[in-house]
Amino acid sequence: MDARTGEVLHSRNADTRLHPASLTKMMTLYVVFDAIRRGEITLETKVKISRKAAAEQPSKLGLKSGQRIAIRYLIRAASVKSANDAATALGEAVSGSEAAFARRMNAMAKALGMTNTTFKNAHGLTESGHLSTARDMTTLGRHLIYDYPQYYNLFSRQTTHAGVKQVSNTNRRLLQNYKGADGIKTGYTRAAGFNLVASAERGNERVIATVFGGTSTAARNARVAELLDMGFKRAPSRATLSKPSRPNLSVQEPKVIKVAPAITSRSPRPAQRPDRGPSEEMLLAIVESVDNNVIQSRNEVATRAASPTDLAGATVTPVRRPQNLVQTSIELAEPLSKPKPRRIITRASTSGGRHWSISLGRHTTRDRAERLLLKTALQEIGTLDEALRKVVNRPRGWEANFVGLSQGKATLACQRLSARGHNCEVRGPGAS
């Protein structure tokens, strides 16, 4: 492909769906760059490595569960060393889970016009249905070059420091041996073979070449070199640069929701879900029914004692009251006239052991605290989708809280909110 115009100069089986292997990380990195641009995370955001990320198969950086590392080092490890643990950690940092991140990858692929690509993970290890094509990966490579030129230099680094150690580029043989080569990404699994998306620039010309299914590193690099040579011969010396349009996922992207500014001075409060417990009317009916039954029983006993003969003239022997009879009554736990303190909770608690919370600070009115919680929940649905919203009246104002979180979710949510400029404090079990 002529990178300047997007014109395909040569293709063979370009739309055959195959295993992309670590070419997948091109999309992982593209989505991460997009998240940084949107302000969801920063290069300095510290990520806590999950057990899932630490357990990924090689190639890997060697991250440990519970370790904290900055986003910039994970980006270096994924782009240069093709580290699977770093790729998974990036996905979890952006979307909260790898599954949610895969959905965002697929939404991005659709927006970029990658019509034959489906992602199931962030690293590219073989998984059923995780497929792409040479055409789609070439398209993605072109977007990386022009949409995020400030990061593209990563793919030409032959070595870099990834926070915990120095790593070498998996594509260094082509970078060293082909004139003008400056990227992009290799990929290998047994199912995929040896894959490569490569780009080279000579003078005013830039060509992108993609190969799937090479039999070895040497054979793959040789074929890519042939394609690049062919591209430079066929591409015109001069061509008007036509950069691809950067996609806008404000609608398609399921994890980013833009909240329209309020038209009125007071936004409507969302309707509360119905209480799962018995209503006050039901409790009153229960008490009234019990009282009526007690009164009716007493009347029947009194009637029989006063007139031991029924209407037919039959003699009725009064039943002696048992000596061990215990009279009982039903009382409400609290007077019905006394309303319970109002709490703003979006759903019934299903914490399942999630006893961590985050505080967004105190506010002058309950309404402001409630509106902040609702707006934040919509903006950060990826990490707060299972959290409960709670407003507490404190001595110095109304405190806005998200409760019912795991430690990891609470920490990640606070990191992402802090990156957007929100005040946020993580609180452990028992904190008040």
Side-chain angles (χ1 to χ4, degrees):
M1 177 181 288
D2 186 334
R4 299 167 298 176
T5 62
E7 179 188 359
V8 176
L9 305 173
H10 170 81
S11 68
R12 180 185 299 172
N13 300 325
D15 297 311
T16 302
R17 282 165 58 86
L18 300 166
H19 298 288
S22 284
L23 300 187
T24 298
K25 295 185 181 74
M26 294 165 59
M27 179 58 82
T28 299
L29 292 164
Y30 189 95
V31 173
V32 170
F33 298 155
D34 179 69
I36 294 173
R37 179 180 66 87
R38 292 168 180 265
E40 298 174 48
I41 55 174
T42 71
L43 290 173
E44 304 306 326
T45 299
K46 289 293 185 69
V47 175
K48 184 178 180 180
I49 303 303
S50 68
R51 284 183 292 180
K52 181 181 184 342
E56 295 292 6
Q57 300 176 29
S59 170
K60 58 196 298 182
L61 185 59
L63 300 171
K64 305 298 182 183
S65 177
Q67 176 181 355
R68 294 186 179 276
I69 186 170
I71 287 286
R72 68 166 62 250
Y73 295 125
L74 294 176
I75 291 174
R76 293 179 186 180
S79 59
V80 176
K81 183 176 174 55
S82 195
N84 295 325
D85 50 358
T88 297
L90 286 170
E92 293 174 341
V94 171
S95 297
S97 71
E98 190 174 41
F101 187 71
R103 291 193 292 270
R104 181 160 173 171
M105 294 170 73
N106 288 323
M108 186 68 77
K110 183 178 180 180
L112 293 174
M114 299 169 62
T115 56
N116 289 312
T117 295
T118 304
F119 295 110
K120 295 296 183 71
N121 58 57
H123 43 68
L125 292 173
T126 303
E127 186 171 342
S128 177
H130 187 97
L131 300 168
S132 187
T133 69
R135 187 188 307 277
D136 282 358
M137 282 298 167
T138 305
T139 298
L140 176 56
R142 183 168 184 253
H143 274 277
L144 277 170
I145 293 169
Y146 291 112
D147 291 355
Y148 295 103
Q150 68 271 38
Y151 301 115
Y152 182 69
N153 70 89
L154 287 165
F155 300 104
S156 63
R157 297 184 187 182
Q158 296 193 29
T159 62
T160 191
H161 199 276
V164 295
K165 64 181 179 180
Q166 195 82 4
V167 295
S168 298
N169 199 315
T170 57
N171 193 33
R172 59 186 179 278
R173 293 185 183 179
L174 186 74
L175 293 173
Q176 293 170 351
N177 298 321
Y178 191 87
K179 180 182 177 182
D182 56 10
I184 303 179
K185 190 74 191 69
T186 63
Y188 168 78
T189 63
R190 290 182 180 179
F194 293 83
N195 299 347
L196 175 60
V197 178
S199 178
E201 185 177 35
R202 294 179 180 177
N204 296 323
E205 302 173 22
R206 178 179 284 279
V207 175
I208 305 172
T210 299
V211 166
F212 272 63
T215 56
S216 68
T217 299
R220 175 197 66 193
N221 289 355
R223 181 57 179 156
V224 165
E226 290 177 5
L227 291 172
L228 290 172
D229 288 342
M230 184 188 304
F232 282 118
K233 288 179 181 179
R234 296 184 180 184
S237 299
R238 296 184 180 275
T240 302
L241 177 61
S242 178
K243 296 182 179 180
S245 299
R246 177 184 287 164
N248 184 354
L249 290 186
S250 59
V251 176
Q252 298 97 323
E253 164 54 42
K255 285 297 178 183
V256 177
I257 300 177
K258 291 188 175 181
V259 180
I263 298 176
T264 61
S265 59
R266 179 184 176 90
S267 62
R269 180 181 302 162
Q272 289 184 317
R273 297 193 180 192
D275 189 358
R276 295 182 182 272
S279 64
E280 183 171 321
E281 291 79 4
M282 182 179 295
L283 290 174
L284 285 170
I286 292 172
V287 174
E288 183 178 357
S289 175
V290 172
D291 289 342
N292 289 338
N293 288 336
V294 171
I295 293 172
Q296 181 178 354
S297 298
R298 289 175 177 173
N299 289 339
E300 289 177 356
V301 172
T303 300
R304 290 181 179 181
S307 179
T309 305
D310 61 10
L311 295 177
T315 301
V316 178
T317 302
V319 179
R320 292 186 63 186
R321 176 174 179 150
Q323 297 299 319
N324 59 349
L325 180 66
V326 178
Q327 184 172 350
T328 63
S329 63
I330 296 177
E331 297 181 358
L332 294 178
E334 295 181 8
L336 293 176
S337 60
K338 180 182 179 181
K340 294 182 179 180
R342 184 176 61 167
R343 294 189 301 168
I344 305 302
I345 297 180
T346 59
R347 59 176 73 86
S349 175
T350 56
S351 65
R354 296 187 292 270
H355 304 299
W356 289 71
S357 63
I358 60 175
S359 170
L360 304 186
R362 299 180 185 182
H363 305 271
T364 55
T365 66
R366 174 188 288 274
D367 182 63
R368 289 186 178 181
E370 292 172 3
R371 284 194 291 173
L372 175 62
L373 286 173
L374 177 60
K375 181 177 180 181
T376 304
L378 292 174
Q379 290 177 332
E380 194 52 46
I381 193 171
T383 53
L384 297 176
D385 57 338
E386 297 181 357
L388 308 180
R389 301 196 297 272
K390 181 178 180 181
V391 175
V392 181
N393 189 3
R394 302 289 190 190
R396 290 182 293 172
W398 298 90
E399 186 176 59
N401 301 280
F402 285 99
V403 301
L405 293 162
S406 65
Q407 182 180 4
K409 278 291 182 71
T411 302
L412 176 59
C414 247
Q415 289 175 344
R416 291 164 61 105
L417 291 173
S418 297
R420 291 196 181 100
H422 292 288
N423 292 325
C424 185
E425 178 185 352
V426 178
R427 294 180 177 177
S432 61

